[in-house]
Amino acid sequence: MAGMETIQYNLPQSRIPQAWYNIVADLPKPMAPVLHPGTMKPIGPDDLAPLFPLALILQEVSTEREIEIPGEVRQIYAQWRPSPLYRARRLEQALDTPAHIYYKYEGVSPAGSHKPNTAVAQAYYNKKEGTKRLSTETGAGQWGSSLAMACAFFGMECKVYMVRVSYDQKPYRRALMEAYGATVAASPSNETEIGRAILQEHPGTSGSLGIAISEAVEVAAKDPNTKYALGSVLNHVLLHQTVIGQEAIEQMAMADDEPDVILGCTGGGSNFAGLVMPYLGRKIKGQCNARVVAVEPAACPSLTKGRFTYDFGDTGHLTPLVKMHTLGSTFVPPGIHAGGLRYHGMAPLVSHVMDLGLIEATTVQQLDAFAAGIQFARAEGIIPAPEANHAIAGAIAEALQAKQEGKPRTILFSLSGHGHFDMQSYADYQAGKLQNYDYPEEEIAMALAGLPTVG
Amino acid sequence: MAGMETIQYNLPQSRIPQAWYNIVADLPKPMAPVLHPGTMKPIGPDDLAPLFPLALILQEVSTEREIEIPGEVRQIYAQWRPSPLYRARRLEQALDTPAHIYYKYEGVSPAGSHKPNTAVAQAYYNKKEGTKRLSTETGAGQWGSSLAMACAFFGMECKVYMVRVSYDQKPYRRALMEAYGATVAASPSNETEIGRAILQEHPGTSGSLGIAISEAVEVAAKDPNTKYALGSVLNHVLLHQTVIGQEAIEQMAMADDEPDVILGCTGGGSNFAGLVMPYLGRKIKGQCNARVVAVEPAACPSLTKGRFTYDFGDTGHLTPLVKMHTLGSTFVPPGIHAGGLRYHGMAPLVSHVMDLGLIEATTVQQLDAFAAGIQFARAEGIIPAPEANHAIAGAIAEALQAKQEGKPRTILFSLSGHGHFDMQSYADYQAGKLQNYDYPEEEIAMALAGLPTVG
């Protein structure tokens, strides 16, 4: 029998990273401080204590390079980590490209995306500090299901405020969270003051992530047994995702290959950061020359079109002010199906490395993203999440450019999750019901005009 | 940091089996021949030639112990094989049992179940012999999506007749097949003679697997470029699944453990056979003492309540006659959500090893199956397919018995797939909308009374 080509690079359970990598320790310039929205002064740990356990607050502000992963968290990671690195040989063949295409696949987690990497860690630290219940928001549902699963593992209650439109459109995501034992409410709900106020003013509202965040935060702030958990944006969340990139570095060495370009889709920034931060740490030290590319939806282009300035994390302006690339916190992105990428801002850490010139950014239109996803599925078998289709489109563009130049190129991208709970979007795409969105210039200009004045 | 407990036993890509294991070579007594429904004489390869490529017909009747897996098939297997063997330590802890529970997880395949193991092989042999198009039927959709994916890999067309009720109730399974490029028709359709005839007689019918089989067979019989593919029951289909058990034997050795009991759910029998046949080969040689248990739904108990005799494979009586445990080919099982287990008969090979006393069988009620699935999901994170919940319920019963006896017991079961496309059934279960079904004694007696007389 002919020899086989390797397409799967697997590490043993023992190679799950021992520590998360904190790039803050290696940054040539420190990040801007987070500001209290009332005083406009830098916030301290006490300001966050009602919402998060101390361990996570300390991670949020840590400047240590390595933060040890607790044994119990690593033990749970072993359910799906180290995640596989694939060489997309059938896709390469379909594209007839000299490029090598690799993807790090996070859809092997039981909840189907990279989100459990931080959900399990957040649940662990909360459990350890006595939290009985976690509250959170979810849009598309990847984050809500991941936290629901993590809470099931640690025997904690989980309360999810799910944006009304998703609650109605994605009953199976809700069924998944409820199978894990979580309680799910459509947001805005009658359970919170802010929810009741909004329902009174807009009885038929379809909700928003901003409103759902406000409800989850309100519940946590009022109940000493409940803390709040966020699935992206914050430093400690991005930190937990760095297992992805650390494993990828080791797996690319197994493949005896080195990426020329590294891509990931960006919404809040956690999946992208998870893959690229360990590489950027090397880049800062001159040990890596790869171009690092954030791929965002044309309809919500915070890195490519946003302003790098202080803004609120939510539409209701309850959160602290963070310096980030933002389209304006009152901007409501068009209804693209990649719900996980519909966020007005970008993680401050990702914004910061963009500002430092360590990464670049590009945009992909919705129809191009789905076309890429379909091509990928037919070659590689995996149905990608609509969010991940943006990274695939970016990778295919790189591979075709290499073909045009007639030169090799090694491409590595993050396939953040599968699309098993997003099949309606594929059905709509195949039926010709989806559309592209022009850059919403006026709406963004208006939202940016309303930015808070700082300093 | 404390040492980690191993929960994942992974083999490298190089350990994908080189050959499928054909237990027919080791059977102490040969299987009964397959009979032509017209002549009642044993059928020959020529009778099957319009439907299947020669390579698969030869595998169907082969008595060779090992059949080499073609390099191209092994190369595609490498996308998800060797599949992981898990030690269910968190489930053991939740059950507080001295038993060790292992599960071989086939849901890691891109289509989400064990079905691609044979879909890829069948597509390969068809492609090699010039087939341009494959036709098949699907009920719940696991098989249809697997064949659609395999056809995409080999650049063949794929036509799927999907039982009308599933077509309407499971639009996302259909979207998945269409994303892979398959054409899906609700069955009965207007595309076939049998379909048109049935539609005329029963305009509002919800269809059945038996009707869908007839349509797919008719299309293949009439078009020289089209062949037919079946997802279970036949010898060659079961053969392709034996990679599961071969890998499991090696992985159990890695775990330094030996199963006392091996379980799998049974519908047509392919998932069960895939895990157990390599073990039964050893059992025949006295190298394995494990009890081997088929777990079937109480609503469709072919092995536990059926008769071991000649019957048709389909409701329309178009197929050859095979000797199997059957509830009568006109029996229509109650509408349990484990659609993959709703088959009136059992694979002749599984029936034969049952008749030889090599395996035993037990039944599980629908509500117990879902309760087991929910308990499993909260402990292990994976949402199982409704079919697989039967195996889990069987494994949990064994673990609790071990606990009651205060003795260790090593349990191995096959987790045949995930339930990501079956969340409606979980939603219904959680909402209290599902029910158990009494043994349908009268209906089965009537169906058995109508069995054909042979010899």
Side-chain angles (χ1 to χ4, degrees), chain A residues 202-229:
Chain A
H202 310 282
T205 180
S206 57
S208 78
L209 212 43
I211 295 167
I213 290 177
S214 303
E215 291 201 84
V217 166
E218 181 185 319
V219 163
K222 283 185 175 165
D223 177 359
N225 286 322
T226 300
K227 298 271 186 213
Y228 170 68

PDB file of all heavy atoms in Angstrom, chain A residues 202-229:
ATOM      1  N   HIS A 202     -40.321  49.402  24.604  1.00  0.00           N
ATOM      2  CA  HIS A 202     -40.345  48.753  23.274  1.00  0.00           C
ATOM      3  C   HIS A 202     -40.904  47.343  23.403  1.00  0.00           C
ATOM      4  O   HIS A 202     -40.141  46.378  23.416  1.00  0.00           O
ATOM      5  CB  HIS A 202     -38.926  48.670  22.680  1.00  0.00           C
ATOM      6  CG  HIS A 202     -38.169  49.943  22.709  1.00  0.00           C
ATOM      7  ND1 HIS A 202     -38.385  50.967  21.814  1.00  0.00           N
ATOM      8  CD2 HIS A 202     -37.178  50.383  23.531  1.00  0.00           C
ATOM      9  CE1 HIS A 202     -37.568  51.977  22.085  1.00  0.00           C
ATOM     10  NE2 HIS A 202     -36.824  51.649  23.121  1.00  0.00           N
ATOM     11  N   PRO A 203     -42.231  47.212  23.498  1.00  0.00           N
ATOM     12  CA  PRO A 203     -42.840  45.894  23.795  1.00  0.00           C
ATOM     13  C   PRO A 203     -42.450  44.805  22.785  1.00  0.00           C
ATOM     14  O   PRO A 203     -42.337  43.654  23.142  1.00  0.00           O
ATOM     15  CB  PRO A 203     -44.341  46.181  23.747  1.00  0.00           C
ATOM     16  CG  PRO A 203     -44.476  47.663  23.894  1.00  0.00           C
ATOM     17  CD  PRO A 203     -43.240  48.262  23.307  1.00  0.00           C
ATOM     18  N   GLY A 204     -42.238  45.164  21.540  1.00  0.00           N
ATOM     19  CA  GLY A 204     -41.982  44.129  20.525  1.00  0.00           C
ATOM     20  C   GLY A 204     -40.513  43.969  20.172  1.00  0.00           C
ATOM     21  O   GLY A 204     -40.195  43.357  19.153  1.00  0.00           O
ATOM     22  N   THR A 205     -39.599  44.484  21.003  1.00  0.00           N
ATOM     23  CA  THR A 205     -38.183  44.509  20.626  1.00  0.00           C
ATOM     24  C   THR A 205     -37.601  43.117  20.433  1.00  0.00           C
ATOM     25  O   THR A 205     -37.992  42.171  21.121  1.00  0.00           O
ATOM     26  CB  THR A 205     -37.338  45.263  21.676  1.00  0.00           C
ATOM     27  OG1 THR A 205     -35.968  45.241  21.248  1.00  0.00           O
ATOM     28  CG2 THR A 205     -37.428  44.586  23.032  1.00  0.00           C
ATOM     29  N   SER A 206     -36.670  42.997  19.482  1.00  0.00           N
ATOM     30  CA  SER A 206     -36.005  41.710  19.260  1.00  0.00           C
ATOM     31  C   SER A 206     -34.757  41.576  20.119  1.00  0.00           C
ATOM     32  O   SER A 206     -34.049  40.583  20.046  1.00  0.00           O
ATOM     33  CB  SER A 206     -35.624  41.567  17.786  1.00  0.00           C
ATOM     34  OG  SER A 206     -34.793  42.637  17.390  1.00  0.00           O
ATOM     35  N   GLY A 207     -34.477  42.597  20.949  1.00  0.00           N
ATOM     36  CA  GLY A 207     -33.339  42.518  21.858  1.00  0.00           C
ATOM     37  C   GLY A 207     -32.013  42.782  21.180  1.00  0.00           C
ATOM     38  O   GLY A 207     -31.941  42.946  19.966  1.00  0.00           O
ATOM     39  N   SER A 208     -30.966  42.840  21.993  1.00  0.00           N
ATOM     40  CA  SER A 208     -29.611  43.025  21.471  1.00  0.00           C
ATOM     41  C   SER A 208     -28.633  42.474  22.498  1.00  0.00           C
ATOM     42  O   SER A 208     -28.969  42.273  23.663  1.00  0.00           O
ATOM     43  CB  SER A 208     -29.322  44.503  21.227  1.00  0.00           C
ATOM     44  OG  SER A 208     -29.034  45.158  22.447  1.00  0.00           O
ATOM     45  N   LEU A 209     -27.414  42.244  22.058  1.00  0.00           N
ATOM     46  CA  LEU A 209     -26.382  41.755  22.963  1.00  0.00           C
ATOM     47  C   LEU A 209     -26.150  42.760  24.089  1.00  0.00           C
ATOM     48  O   LEU A 209     -25.950  42.391  25.250  1.00  0.00           O
ATOM     49  CB  LEU A 209     -25.088  41.516  22.161  1.00  0.00           C
ATOM     50  CG  LEU A 209     -24.170  40.396  22.595  1.00  0.00           C
ATOM     51  CD1 LEU A 209     -24.903  39.126  22.959  1.00  0.00           C
ATOM     52  CD2 LEU A 209     -23.155  40.109  21.486  1.00  0.00           C
ATOM     53  N   GLY A 210     -26.220  44.035  23.727  1.00  0.00           N
ATOM     54  CA  GLY A 210     -26.019  45.087  24.719  1.00  0.00           C
ATOM     55  C   GLY A 210     -27.044  45.009  25.843  1.00  0.00           C
ATOM     56  O   GLY A 210     -26.706  45.160  27.020  1.00  0.00           O
ATOM     57  N   ILE A 211     -28.288  44.767  25.488  1.00  0.00           N
ATOM     58  CA  ILE A 211     -29.354  44.659  26.494  1.00  0.00           C
ATOM     59  C   ILE A 211     -29.147  43.398  27.336  1.00  0.00           C
ATOM     60  O   ILE A 211     -29.268  43.418  28.564  1.00  0.00           O
ATOM     61  CB  ILE A 211     -30.735  44.600  25.804  1.00  0.00           C
ATOM     62  CG1 ILE A 211     -31.015  45.917  25.070  1.00  0.00           C
ATOM     63  CG2 ILE A 211     -31.828  44.296  26.821  1.00  0.00           C
ATOM     64  CD1 ILE A 211     -32.208  45.843  24.116  1.00  0.00           C
ATOM     65  N   ALA A 212     -28.794  42.300  26.673  1.00  0.00           N
ATOM     66  CA  ALA A 212     -28.610  41.032  27.386  1.00  0.00           C
ATOM     67  C   ALA A 212     -27.457  41.135  28.381  1.00  0.00           C
ATOM     68  O   ALA A 212     -27.534  40.605  29.495  1.00  0.00           O
ATOM     69  CB  ALA A 212     -28.365  39.904  26.389  1.00  0.00           C
ATOM     70  N   ILE A 213     -26.390  41.825  27.980  1.00  0.00           N
ATOM     71  CA  ILE A 213     -25.265  42.050  28.902  1.00  0.00           C
ATOM     72  C   ILE A 213     -25.772  42.793  30.136  1.00  0.00           C
ATOM     73  O   ILE A 213     -25.485  42.411  31.274  1.00  0.00           O
ATOM     74  CB  ILE A 213     -24.138  42.858  28.216  1.00  0.00           C
ATOM     75  CG1 ILE A 213     -23.437  42.006  27.151  1.00  0.00           C
ATOM     76  CG2 ILE A 213     -23.119  43.343  29.258  1.00  0.00           C
ATOM     77  CD1 ILE A 213     -22.356  42.751  26.362  1.00  0.00           C
ATOM     78  N   SER A 214     -26.542  43.844  29.905  1.00  0.00           N
ATOM     79  CA  SER A 214     -27.045  44.633  31.032  1.00  0.00           C
ATOM     80  C   SER A 214     -27.859  43.763  31.992  1.00  0.00           C
ATOM     81  O   SER A 214     -27.722  43.878  33.218  1.00  0.00           O
ATOM     82  CB  SER A 214     -27.917  45.782  30.509  1.00  0.00           C
ATOM     83  OG  SER A 214     -27.184  46.576  29.605  1.00  0.00           O
ATOM     84  N   GLU A 215     -28.697  42.888  31.465  1.00  0.00           N
ATOM     85  CA  GLU A 215     -29.511  42.027  32.345  1.00  0.00           C
ATOM     86  C   GLU A 215     -28.634  41.067  33.151  1.00  0.00           C
ATOM     87  O   GLU A 215     -28.825  40.897  34.352  1.00  0.00           O
ATOM     88  CB  GLU A 215     -30.520  41.214  31.507  1.00  0.00           C
ATOM     89  CG  GLU A 215     -31.618  42.073  30.885  1.00  0.00           C
ATOM     90  CD  GLU A 215     -32.847  41.235  30.525  1.00  0.00           C
ATOM     91  OE1 GLU A 215     -33.692  41.004  31.411  1.00  0.00           O
ATOM     92  OE2 GLU A 215     -32.922  40.808  29.363  1.00  0.00           O
ATOM     93  N   ALA A 216     -27.662  40.449  32.465  1.00  0.00           N
ATOM     94  CA  ALA A 216     -26.795  39.484  33.159  1.00  0.00           C
ATOM     95  C   ALA A 216     -25.959  40.177  34.236  1.00  0.00           C
ATOM     96  O   ALA A 216     -25.761  39.647  35.333  1.00  0.00           O
ATOM     97  CB  ALA A 216     -25.890  38.775  32.145  1.00  0.00           C
ATOM     98  N   VAL A 217     -25.493  41.393  33.932  1.00  0.00           N
ATOM     99  CA  VAL A 217     -24.699  42.147  34.898  1.00  0.00           C
ATOM    100  C   VAL A 217     -25.570  42.555  36.087  1.00  0.00           C
ATOM    101  O   VAL A 217     -25.152  42.433  37.245  1.00  0.00           O
ATOM    102  CB  VAL A 217     -24.070  43.388  34.208  1.00  0.00           C
ATOM    103  CG1 VAL A 217     -23.523  44.362  35.249  1.00  0.00           C
ATOM    104  CG2 VAL A 217     -22.961  42.960  33.245  1.00  0.00           C
ATOM    105  N   GLU A 218     -26.781  43.005  35.813  1.00  0.00           N
ATOM    106  CA  GLU A 218     -27.677  43.435  36.898  1.00  0.00           C
ATOM    107  C   GLU A 218     -27.935  42.297  37.883  1.00  0.00           C
ATOM    108  O   GLU A 218     -27.863  42.480  39.099  1.00  0.00           O
ATOM    109  CB  GLU A 218     -29.005  43.926  36.305  1.00  0.00           C
ATOM    110  CG  GLU A 218     -29.986  44.407  37.374  1.00  0.00           C
ATOM    111  CD  GLU A 218     -31.360  44.779  36.803  1.00  0.00           C
ATOM    112  OE1 GLU A 218     -31.421  45.399  35.736  1.00  0.00           O
ATOM    113  OE2 GLU A 218     -32.374  44.438  37.468  1.00  0.00           O
ATOM    114  N   VAL A 219     -28.198  41.124  37.346  1.00  0.00           N
ATOM    115  CA  VAL A 219     -28.460  39.962  38.190  1.00  0.00           C
ATOM    116  C   VAL A 219     -27.260  39.636  39.070  1.00  0.00           C
ATOM    117  O   VAL A 219     -27.392  39.349  40.267  1.00  0.00           O
ATOM    118  CB  VAL A 219     -28.837  38.750  37.302  1.00  0.00           C
ATOM    119  CG1 VAL A 219     -28.710  37.450  38.067  1.00  0.00           C
ATOM    120  CG2 VAL A 219     -30.254  38.911  36.766  1.00  0.00           C
ATOM    121  N   ALA A 220     -26.073  39.701  38.483  1.00  0.00           N
ATOM    122  CA  ALA A 220     -24.856  39.389  39.239  1.00  0.00           C
ATOM    123  C   ALA A 220     -24.589  40.449  40.296  1.00  0.00           C
ATOM    124  O   ALA A 220     -24.192  40.137  41.430  1.00  0.00           O
ATOM    125  CB  ALA A 220     -23.671  39.264  38.285  1.00  0.00           C
ATOM    126  N   ALA A 221     -24.796  41.700  39.924  1.00  0.00           N
ATOM    127  CA  ALA A 221     -24.505  42.792  40.856  1.00  0.00           C
ATOM    128  C   ALA A 221     -25.417  42.736  42.078  1.00  0.00           C
ATOM    129  O   ALA A 221     -25.024  43.121  43.177  1.00  0.00           O
ATOM    130  CB  ALA A 221     -24.652  44.134  40.139  1.00  0.00           C
ATOM    131  N   LYS A 222     -26.647  42.218  41.893  1.00  0.00           N
ATOM    132  CA  LYS A 222     -27.625  42.247  42.984  1.00  0.00           C
ATOM    133  C   LYS A 222     -27.601  41.015  43.880  1.00  0.00           C
ATOM    134  O   LYS A 222     -28.123  41.045  44.984  1.00  0.00           O
ATOM    135  CB  LYS A 222     -29.032  42.384  42.384  1.00  0.00           C
ATOM    136  CG  LYS A 222     -29.339  43.796  41.920  1.00  0.00           C
ATOM    137  CD  LYS A 222     -30.793  43.872  41.467  1.00  0.00           C
ATOM    138  CE  LYS A 222     -31.183  45.299  41.116  1.00  0.00           C
ATOM    139  NZ  LYS A 222     -32.443  45.325  40.362  1.00  0.00           N
ATOM    140  N   ASP A 223     -27.028  39.924  43.384  1.00  0.00           N
ATOM    141  CA  ASP A 223     -27.091  38.672  44.151  1.00  0.00           C
ATOM    142  C   ASP A 223     -25.673  38.236  44.533  1.00  0.00           C
ATOM    143  O   ASP A 223     -24.850  37.942  43.669  1.00  0.00           O
ATOM    144  CB  ASP A 223     -27.763  37.600  43.266  1.00  0.00           C
ATOM    145  CG  ASP A 223     -27.802  36.244  43.940  1.00  0.00           C
ATOM    146  OD1 ASP A 223     -27.289  36.116  45.078  1.00  0.00           O
ATOM    147  OD2 ASP A 223     -28.334  35.307  43.320  1.00  0.00           O
ATOM    148  N   PRO A 224     -25.378  38.193  45.833  1.00  0.00           N
ATOM    149  CA  PRO A 224     -24.007  37.845  46.249  1.00  0.00           C
ATOM    150  C   PRO A 224     -23.594  36.432  45.855  1.00  0.00           C
ATOM    151  O   PRO A 224     -22.409  36.124  45.808  1.00  0.00           O
ATOM    152  CB  PRO A 224     -24.042  38.014  47.771  1.00  0.00           C
ATOM    153  CG  PRO A 224     -25.493  37.963  48.137  1.00  0.00           C
ATOM    154  CD  PRO A 224     -26.255  38.484  46.958  1.00  0.00           C
ATOM    155  N   ASN A 225     -24.561  35.551  45.564  1.00  0.00           N
ATOM    156  CA  ASN A 225     -24.211  34.184  45.156  1.00  0.00           C
ATOM    157  C   ASN A 225     -23.979  34.051  43.654  1.00  0.00           C
ATOM    158  O   ASN A 225     -23.612  32.988  43.174  1.00  0.00           O
ATOM    159  CB  ASN A 225     -25.332  33.219  45.547  1.00  0.00           C
ATOM    160  CG  ASN A 225     -25.336  32.969  47.048  1.00  0.00           C
ATOM    161  OD1 ASN A 225     -24.265  32.875  47.653  1.00  0.00           O
ATOM    162  ND2 ASN A 225     -26.514  32.900  47.630  1.00  0.00           N
ATOM    163  N   THR A 226     -24.265  35.140  42.915  1.00  0.00           N
ATOM    164  CA  THR A 226     -24.157  35.093  41.460  1.00  0.00           C
ATOM    165  C   THR A 226     -23.028  35.990  40.977  1.00  0.00           C
ATOM    166  O   THR A 226     -22.892  37.124  41.435  1.00  0.00           O
ATOM    167  CB  THR A 226     -25.487  35.556  40.825  1.00  0.00           C
ATOM    168  OG1 THR A 226     -26.543  34.696  41.259  1.00  0.00           O
ATOM    169  CG2 THR A 226     -25.413  35.508  39.293  1.00  0.00           C
ATOM    170  N   LYS A 227     -22.198  35.449  40.080  1.00  0.00           N
ATOM    171  CA  LYS A 227     -21.211  36.296  39.405  1.00  0.00           C
ATOM    172  C   LYS A 227     -21.539  36.307  37.926  1.00  0.00           C
ATOM    173  O   LYS A 227     -22.379  35.549  37.435  1.00  0.00           O
ATOM    174  CB  LYS A 227     -19.788  35.769  39.638  1.00  0.00           C
ATOM    175  CG  LYS A 227     -19.351  35.756  41.089  1.00  0.00           C
ATOM    176  CD  LYS A 227     -18.712  37.062  41.495  1.00  0.00           C
ATOM    177  CE  LYS A 227     -18.154  36.982  42.921  1.00  0.00           C
ATOM    178  NZ  LYS A 227     -18.262  38.298  43.607  1.00  0.00           N
ATOM    179  N   TYR A 228     -20.823  37.180  37.235  1.00  0.00           N
ATOM    180  CA  TYR A 228     -21.054  37.387  35.816  1.00  0.00           C
ATOM    181  C   TYR A 228     -19.890  36.787  35.034  1.00  0.00           C
ATOM    182  O   TYR A 228     -18.749  36.777  35.501  1.00  0.00           O
ATOM    183  CB  TYR A 228     -21.179  38.885  35.554  1.00  0.00           C
ATOM    184  CG  TYR A 228     -21.196  39.277  34.094  1.00  0.00           C
ATOM    185  CD1 TYR A 228     -22.266  38.935  33.273  1.00  0.00           C
ATOM    186  CD2 TYR A 228     -20.137  40.003  33.548  1.00  0.00           C
ATOM    187  CE1 TYR A 228     -22.279  39.299  31.931  1.00  0.00           C
ATOM    188  CE2 TYR A 228     -20.146  40.375  32.209  1.00  0.00           C
ATOM    189  CZ  TYR A 228     -21.208  40.017  31.405  1.00  0.00           C
ATOM    190  OH  TYR A 228     -21.215  40.377  30.087  1.00  0.00           O
ATOM    191  N   ALA A 229     -20.159  36.261  33.855  1.00  0.00           N
ATOM    192  CA  ALA A 229     -19.092  35.701  33.011  1.00  0.00           C
ATOM    193  C   ALA A 229     -19.242  36.247  31.600  1.00  0.00           C
ATOM    194  O   ALA A 229     -20.345  36.300  31.059  1.00  0.00           O
ATOM    195  CB  ALA A 229     -19.184  34.175  32.997  1.00  0.00           C
TER     196      ALA A 229
END
